[in-house]
Amino acid sequence: MVAGGQGVDDEGNITLLGAGGTDATAVAIAKSIDAERVEIYTDLDGVYTGDPNVVQQARKLKDITYDEMLELSYLGSKIVHPRGRISKKI
């Protein structure tokens, strides 16, 4: 077991990666040990059309494609870190 979301800055200091950083940490570790897959568990119940804490009309998506999820991550959705890629529908 490894604490997620930690990294190293340009000066070698241990730092936190911020929102979604645990995803990136999991993927980096999996890559370094040639893992077959990475499973990321969360306390979220799904992906919404907007942040339900901010957007009252936000609705839960039935499913989302890999490409859509990747685009959302690059647009700053904070659902998954852009460097922590997913491999299946959620």
Side-chain angles (χ1 to χ4, degrees):
M1 184 161 300
V2 177
Q6 59 192 20
V8 178
D9 67 14
D10 292 337
E11 298 173 2
N13 299 308
I14 296 174
T15 184
L16 297 177
L17 300 177
T22 54
D23 305 332
T25 299
V27 171
I29 291 170
K31 173 77 173 153
S32 71
I33 63 171
D34 294 323
E36 187 175 309
R37 71 174 184 253
V38 176
E39 294 182 7
I40 298 174
Y41 298 90
T42 180
D43 60 347
L44 303 174
D45 67 345
V47 177
Y48 287 77
T49 56
D51 183 344
N53 296 315
V54 177
V55 181
Q56 289 181 348
Q57 300 83 8
R59 60 182 176 80
K60 185 176 169 182
L61 299 175
K62 182 177 178 183
D63 60 19
I64 187 168
T65 67
Y66 175 87
D67 290 335
E68 291 166 335
M69 190 69 175
L70 186 59
E71 184 175 354
L72 286 174
S73 72
Y74 279 105
L75 292 172
S77 67
K78 298 181 183 175
I79 300 168
V80 65
H81 193 281
R83 295 182 69 189
R85 306 240 181 356
I86 59 170
S87 64
K88 67 177 184 174
K89 288 185 176 182
I90 59 172

